[in-house]
Amino acid sequence: MNRNYRFYLQLTFTIVVCAFLIVPVVMSMMAGVTENFIKGISSGITLRWIFEVWDLYRDTIFLSLLIAIACLICTIVLGVPAAYVLAKRQGRVARMIEELLTLPLAIPGLAIALALIISFGGFREFRSSWVFILVGHVIYTLPFMMRSVLAVLSTADFRTLEEGAASLGAGFWRRFFDIVIPNCRTGIIAGSLMVVTLSMGEFNITWMLHTPVTKTLPVGLADSYASMRLEIGSAYTIIFLIMIMPLLIALQHYGKPRSPNTRPVEDDVESPLPSTSGQRP
Amino acid sequence: MEKRELPYLVVLALPVVIVALAFFLLPMARLAYIAGTGDDGFAAYTSVLTKPRYLESMIATTLLAGITTVVTLAIATIAGLFLERNRFLGRDFLISLLTFPLAFPGVVVGFMVIMLAGRQGLIGQITKAITGDKLIFAYSIAGLFLGYVYFSIPRVILTIMAAAEKLDSSLEEAARSLGASPWQVVRDVILPALKPALIASGAIAFATAMGAFGTAFTLATDIDVLPMTIYTEFTLRANIATAAALSIVLGIITWIVLSIARSFAGSSVAAAG
Amino acid sequence: MSHSTAIRLDSCAKTFPNGAKALDPMSLTIEGGETLIFLGPSGCGKTTTLRIIAGLESPDSGGKVLFDDEDVTKLPIEHRNVGMVFQSYALFPNMNVQQNIAYGLKIRKVSITDITQRVNEMMEMMHIGELQDRSIDQLSGGQRQRVALARAIAVRPKVLLLDEPLTALDALLRERLRVDIDSLLRSLGITTVYVTHDQAEAMSLGDRIVVMDRGQVAQVGTPREIYFEPQGEFVADFIGTMNRMQGTVTDGRFQTRGGSLPIPHANEGPSNLLFRPENARIVPVAQAPLSGTVASVFFLGDKSRLIISGITDGHITIDAENSETFNPGDPIGLSVDTQHLLFV
């Protein structure tokens, strides 16, 4: 019948689209474990490429992890209080600060990196340390953490909870640590996953900021694509995928919008995850 | 309670404001200033329109971003609506597959394009088997286009699915009760209701594509998109002022486009490239 | 509970930053141990008054709040030692029932053994002992309300403040909990300020009621005073059902469309006469001072509510026993007990 025919047509279309996205991923994963890509699977399965990548790029992988964790700590320490302030204050100053803090999302990474180089290029030590890259990552990922926490703070009735705690004698800091922070937990977790994923995969900013001694994983990837065999580039991609896979799965799990006490009003902040975010391509 | 809390809130907000000022706002201001210190002075800002090399780059980038947006919207609307409105075995799996590439940096997307359309690419092998000629287009504008569509689809599909979820099914049911065919329901009820989401996600796709760097870097085509032009001006030609001016112009364009998106879909939209 | 705190409000007014006047200057004394109810429709200022007493809002300058003889106007809520129950209960989702109840005691640095003892006491008093480890989202509305009360009382507050605590519950539960709250407040003997828009609640729980209308106090009195001697139209209309007849007083009689009543002591001229349904009786039409036609009949189970037209410009509401059946269109006669009439 008509309905079935349309259903299957759309299904086929969707599957083709999925194939378009996934087939190259599968191909590259296979290439990473094949002796010789040109000859194909028949040349044998091997892990040598992966080991070679590990030898060549081990440092970049560790540096990426270090920066991602440092970035996470920074965004939590900076972003969670910021989200709280933005949730409490409605005035124009608060909105301006919110605009300022989310501005990095609207600007190409290239511009952010250029601005940093021009401003701090003269500080030798700083410029050639991994902290320089960290700064770029923090500026870029901070809005994600803030928005994730802000989303949670806007749905629960925080003001009344705080008044309840105040009526029992809790002062500002007690309220902040006993009531506010624990109840933002899902927002902080979702934001954390987002920040770590983005930091691990960040390229546009990092490429401009990096030096030969401060290379991250994506920078290494670009290197390997340009100068190494296909098999090595593929193997390196496998390692990257393995590292972000658990993050992505956790993200999908935590990305489900919270339901019950949603305020019926706001059209914007609904789920802890801004659904259209992702890596800069 | 509000007035008394203000000093505490200032204390909480201070660290982030200081960091944002020191590492973002002031550097950007300096960038804007530096842009005017080159040979052309502040005319560097309009050089994107006046100098042919930059104008070409700008046009190429805009066209590429525009076509990518249209194609992606079409693909994502069909697939997104289908996935949102039907429940079947494997649906969640397909959705995961479609949103998985969100985490890929542009370089990886470029690599995927090489996998599909490069010298050893899948498309080349298929066309060789069929026609005897290998079709290789990874390093041309078509390859770039493929890459741009590749990274745009996951983002746009998610937004459309989220918007489709919120559609009021009673509107559809009313149309059907009045005799509308499925296609008419889509054309007259669903697409109009999705219009804000379509505009918003289209704007995001456009802005992301305009600012995309990693993909173009990996594919290294002849035609330079604006981010690549900025990059070469800065690193290869040490033309700091021009690079600064161009990146400010690009930043302003993406910011404007994203502001449009926000006004259609609230502040849950995000990331440009 | 040894001593109960008296509360005094001195010229407390509240204007919001946008210029809206929420509360006109109010002066009021609440006796120690009394249960005082603020009653009125939404927007009348009752919650604002409660929040001023609590310390969540400060009154406009010149206003003073005193607990016994201590001026607490400048004291924030954290230091006023009040027990507050919010309309949405404000239970902390990151703590279980026990931890919620214990929170105020924890802040006051009470020893663990004392905390445990007090929490158990509270849980027993509110009959929620079996809920102690549950998380908040596993509780029903009625259970949450009891936890909220337990939490507020655990700290032995000077005054208890309740902001529409029953509004979020369905009607049946509300009636049942009303009884529980009543016995609780009696046994505690603590000064209680209670805000509600439900007059049945106000009448059953309050020692005194403050009826409020658009930021102003309309009347202060005991439930009986409010019901039988309402001062002014607003209170009369708001409390219970009130019938209103338009007419003129001439020669010691009140004349209206459907008849007349002897009113010896009233002023001459046009006036409105108010009376409650229970002060009217159905009498045979021939001897009735007032007569009209039955417009609608609502069967309520134990009685029937009749809506009568033709006596005056509007409708008259009367309750009838079910021994006699009335149908729309029937003629009907009424007599009104002149002891309980109100002129407006």
Side-chain angles (χ1 to χ4, degrees):
Chain A
M1 278 170 304
N2 248 3
R3 193 185 186 282
N4 270 348
Y5 138 77
R6 277 185 324 108
F7 175 82
Y8 283 111
L9 198 63
Q10 288 178 305
L11 181 63
T12 314
F13 179 78
T14 307
I15 292 183
V16 167
V17 175
C18 285
F20 165 57
L21 294 181
I22 296 300
V23 163
V25 177
V26 173
M27 283 179 66
S28 90
M29 289 182 80
M30 278 174 24
V33 292
T34 311
E35 272 293 340
N36 190 319
F37 182 65
I38 300 180
K39 294 219 185 69
I41 275 279
S42 53
S43 60
I45 307 252
T46 173
L47 289 178
R48 65 180 266 218
W49 305 121
I50 298 197
F51 287 133
E52 213 170 310
V53 165
W54 183 254
D55 278 336
L56 286 169
Y57 294 109
R58 184 178 41 214
D59 292 335
T60 67
I61 296 176
F62 283 141
L63 187 62
S64 269
L65 279 170
L66 170 66
I67 292 183
I69 294 178
C71 190
L72 179 62
I73 296 176
C74 290
T75 48
I76 290 182
V77 168
L78 291 173
V80 174
Y84 175 63
V85 173
L86 289 175
K88 296 276 289 189
R89 303 288 295 182
Q90 302 302 321
R92 243 171 343 143
V93 176
R95 299 281 74 78
M96 260 172 37
I97 294 185
E98 193 177 348
E99 182 67 40
L100 161 69
L101 292 174
T102 48
L103 208 49
L105 289 180
I107 314 244
L110 210 52
I112 299 179
L114 270 180
L116 281 173
I117 293 178
I118 288 178
S119 307
F120 296 101
F123 299 89
R124 254 349 29 198
E125 290 278 325
F126 182 39
R127 168 78 184 86
S128 49
S129 81
W130 60 271
V131 184
F132 197 52
I133 300 181
L134 174 66
V135 165
H137 283 214
V138 169
I139 294 292
Y140 170 51
T141 56
L142 194 57
F144 291 92
M145 175 63 83
M146 264 181 16
R147 267 196 303 176
S148 186
V149 176
L150 195 53
V152 175
L153 284 177
S154 309
T155 53
D157 198 2
F158 268 88
R159 213 156 285 211
T160 313
L161 285 183
E162 283 189 87
E163 288 180 350
S167 77
L168 293 164
F172 184 88
W173 294 112
R174 265 242 79 150
R175 295 198 299 267
F176 186 68
F177 287 108
D178 284 348
I179 309 297
V180 176
I181 304 276
N183 285 301
C184 294
R185 218 179 24 165
T186 40
I188 296 180
I189 292 179
S192 301
L193 290 170
M194 197 85 230
V195 166
V196 171
T197 310
L198 289 172
S199 173
M200 291 287 304
E202 211 293 317
F203 177 76
N204 291 8
I205 299 176
T206 319
W207 181 260
M208 297 293 301
L209 297 182
H210 89 275
T211 67
V213 296
T214 54
K215 286 195 194 179
T216 60
L217 198 159
V219 167
L221 274 175
D223 255 353
S224 68
Y225 293 154
S227 55
M228 302 270 168
R229 295 179 66 139
L230 198 78
E231 290 87 346
I232 296 209
S234 303
Y236 203 177
T237 311
I238 291 182
I239 295 186
F240 174 68
L241 290 176
I242 291 178
M243 293 185 76
I244 60 162
M245 187 79 86
L247 292 170
L248 285 180
I249 295 178
L251 259 181
Q252 293 223 347
H253 176 72
Y254 273 95
K256 303 285 170 250
R258 309 266 297 157
S259 43
N261 19 23
T262 319
R263 274 207 319 239
V265 179
E266 312 302 313
D267 58 352
D268 38 45
V269 219
E270 295 129 348
S271 73
L273 258 205
S275 67
T276 51
S277 54
Q279 204 51 266
R280 289 184 199 257
Chain B
M1 226 170 58
E2 297 215 338
K3 286 196 201 89
R4 286 184 308 112
E5 287 189 330
L6 195 54
Y8 296 108
L9 293 178
V10 169
V11 167
L12 281 182
L14 212 52
V16 74
V17 169
I18 292 178
V19 167
L21 272 174
F23 295 113
F24 179 65
L25 206 57
L26 290 177
M28 290 301 297
R30 196 161 153 73
L31 189 72
Y33 168 71
I34 292 278
T37 56
D39 296 330
D40 299 325
F42 281 97
Y45 278 112
T46 49
S47 65
V48 74
L49 295 170
T50 53
K51 299 251 172 69
R53 176 169 137 77
Y54 305 145
L55 185 59
E56 261 176 44
S57 182
M58 173 64 101
I59 292 179
T61 317
T62 313
L63 272 178
L64 187 58
I67 299 180
T68 302
T69 304
V70 170
V71 171
T72 308
L73 275 177
I75 295 178
T77 307
I78 299 176
L81 274 179
F82 169 70
L83 284 170
E84 182 50 44
R85 294 151 61 79
N86 292 289
R87 297 283 180 273
F88 54 90
L89 187 66
R91 173 183 174 265
D92 285 339
F93 180 61
L94 281 182
I95 295 178
S96 308
L97 286 185
L98 283 170
T99 53
F100 177 52
L102 265 181
F104 289 0
V107 285
V108 174
V109 174
F111 190 56
M112 295 295 119
V113 172
I114 292 176
M115 279 281 136
L116 280 176
R119 272 178 272 280
Q120 319 295 340
L122 185 66
I123 294 183
Q125 287 171 4
I126 294 180
T127 50
K128 181 158 188 199
I130 299 181
T131 64
D133 246 345
K134 248 196 202 179
L135 184 61
I136 301 174
F137 59 93
Y139 305 98
S140 73
I141 196 89
L144 202 57
F145 169 69
L146 202 68
Y148 277 35
V149 171
Y150 189 98
F151 66 67
S152 303
I153 289 182
R155 282 158 222 274
V156 178
I157 271 199
L158 274 185
T159 320
I160 291 189
M161 283 180 60
E165 197 184 7
K166 293 199 201 68
L167 285 181
D168 185 353
S169 59
S170 60
L171 291 175
E172 244 184 283
E173 289 165 356
R176 282 170 59 199
S177 75
L178 292 166
S181 72
W183 162 241
Q184 284 170 325
V185 173
V186 168
R187 185 193 63 190
D188 298 329
V189 177
I190 297 182
L191 286 183
L194 281 181
K195 205 168 65 153
L198 290 175
I199 295 182
S201 46
I204 297 171
F206 185 80
T208 312
M210 288 285 295
F213 173 68
T215 315
F217 183 80
T218 308
L219 294 176
T221 59
D222 304 326
I223 303 166
D224 271 347
V225 290
L226 202 53
M228 282 302 289
T229 310
I230 296 174
Y231 176 67
T232 47
E233 287 299 312
F234 185 73
T235 47
L236 299 182
R237 301 225 200 146
N239 218 335
I240 301 181
T242 317
L246 291 177
S247 53
I248 297 268
V249 169
L250 185 59
I252 292 179
I253 294 178
T254 50
W255 183 76
I256 290 178
V257 172
L258 281 177
S259 299
I260 296 176
R262 250 190 316 181
S263 63
F264 276 95
S267 56
S268 69
V269 301
Chain C
M1 206 104 292
S2 42
H3 163 75
S4 354
T5 311
I7 305 175
R8 201 173 94 218
L9 294 174
D10 255 349
S11 299
C12 286
K14 185 69 183 174
T15 318
F16 282 121
N18 62 357
K21 233 186 181 309
L23 192 63
D24 279 357
M26 173 194 290
S27 297
L28 182 68
T29 305
I30 306 175
E31 318 278 341
E34 169 178 36
T35 298
L36 184 87
I37 315 251
F38 284 102
L39 172 68
S42 47
C44 69
K46 55 191 194 295
T47 301
T48 309
T49 313
L50 188 76
R51 289 170 68 90
I52 290 179
I53 298 176
L56 289 170
E57 315 267 5
S58 14
D60 293 346
S61 69
K64 281 212 278 245
V65 181
L66 297 104
F67 285 5
D68 283 336
D69 288 317
E70 189 194 344
D71 185 346
V72 298
T73 321
K74 297 272 183 285
L75 226 50
I77 185 175
E78 292 92 319
H79 303 305
R80 285 199 195 186
N81 199 14
V82 299
M84 188 151 177
V85 176
F86 295 80
Q87 190 172 343
S88 63
Y89 309 130
L91 298 178
F92 307 131
N94 55 311
M95 304 180 198
N96 66 18
V97 167
Q98 203 169 15
Q99 292 162 332
N100 260 278
I101 301 178
Y103 189 66
L105 298 166
K106 204 172 80 157
I107 304 265
R108 287 157 174 77
K109 302 212 187 346
V110 174
S111 76
I112 308 254
T113 31
D114 288 340
I115 291 186
T116 321
Q117 188 190 9
R118 181 73 178 153
V119 169
N120 287 333
E121 227 178 280
M122 291 293 100
M123 289 198 291
E124 206 181 301
M125 187 193 291
M126 308 297 301
H127 308 299
I128 45 176
E130 73 277 10
L131 299 175
Q132 65 180 31
D133 290 320
R134 297 246 194 114
S135 86
I136 301 305
D137 52 17
Q138 296 172 310
L139 302 176
S140 71
Q143 288 168 334
R144 281 180 215 217
Q145 207 251 27
R146 278 179 281 163
V147 174
L149 271 169
R151 184 179 74 179
I153 300 173
V155 299
R156 295 181 222 274
K158 289 189 187 153
V159 304
L160 188 60
L161 306 171
L162 302 142
D163 186 2
E164 308 218 40
L166 299 180
T167 302
L169 305 169
D170 64 66
L172 203 59
L173 197 53
R174 242 187 297 186
E175 267 192 54
R176 246 182 300 172
L177 284 178
R178 213 188 294 159
V179 176
D180 289 342
I181 290 189
D182 182 50
S183 52
L184 177 73
L185 295 181
R186 263 175 230 307
S187 66
L188 286 178
I190 188 178
T191 315
T192 305
V193 182
Y194 190 114
V195 163
T196 181
H197 63 263
D198 182 330
Q199 26 156 335
E201 225 166 274
M203 306 284 251
S204 42
L205 294 175
D207 292 326
R208 276 193 306 158
I209 303 180
V210 177
V211 184
M212 293 186 68
D213 174 31
R214 282 170 296 185
Q216 294 181 320
V217 174
Q219 185 172 357
V220 182
T222 66
R224 298 192 151 228
E225 286 165 6
I226 304 274
Y227 190 79
F228 292 119
E229 294 154 40
Q231 287 162 18
E233 261 192 84
F234 175 80
V235 181
D237 271 335
F238 191 76
I239 308 289
T241 315
M242 193 60 105
N243 287 310
R244 180 190 291 260
M245 291 195 292
Q246 290 99 357
T248 334
V249 178
T250 40
D251 292 332
R253 291 191 78 84
F254 175 81
Q255 296 275 87
T256 183
R257 216 196 315 162
S260 68
L261 295 170
I263 314 283
H265 49 273
N267 301 327
E268 306 271 303
S271 58
N272 288 332
L273 195 60
L274 272 53
F275 67 95
R276 298 204 186 274
E278 61 266 23
N279 297 131
R281 274 173 305 123
I282 300 174
V283 292
V285 183
Q287 298 125 21
L290 303 167
S291 60
T293 324
V294 176
S296 323
V297 180
F298 295 106
F299 177 64
L300 296 175
D302 52 337
K303 57 180 189 264
S304 288
R305 183 149 274 204
L306 307 177
I307 309 294
I308 302 171
S309 61
I311 295 184
T312 180
D313 290 339
H315 286 142
I316 300 291
T317 307
I318 296 291
D319 292 331
E321 305 280 310
N322 284 323
S323 46
E324 206 184 332
T325 337
F326 287 92
N327 293 306
D330 289 349
I332 187 167
L334 289 183
S335 135
V336 180
D337 187 349
T338 48
Q339 303 280 72
H340 294 107
L341 291 174
L342 198 70
F343 274 97
V344 149

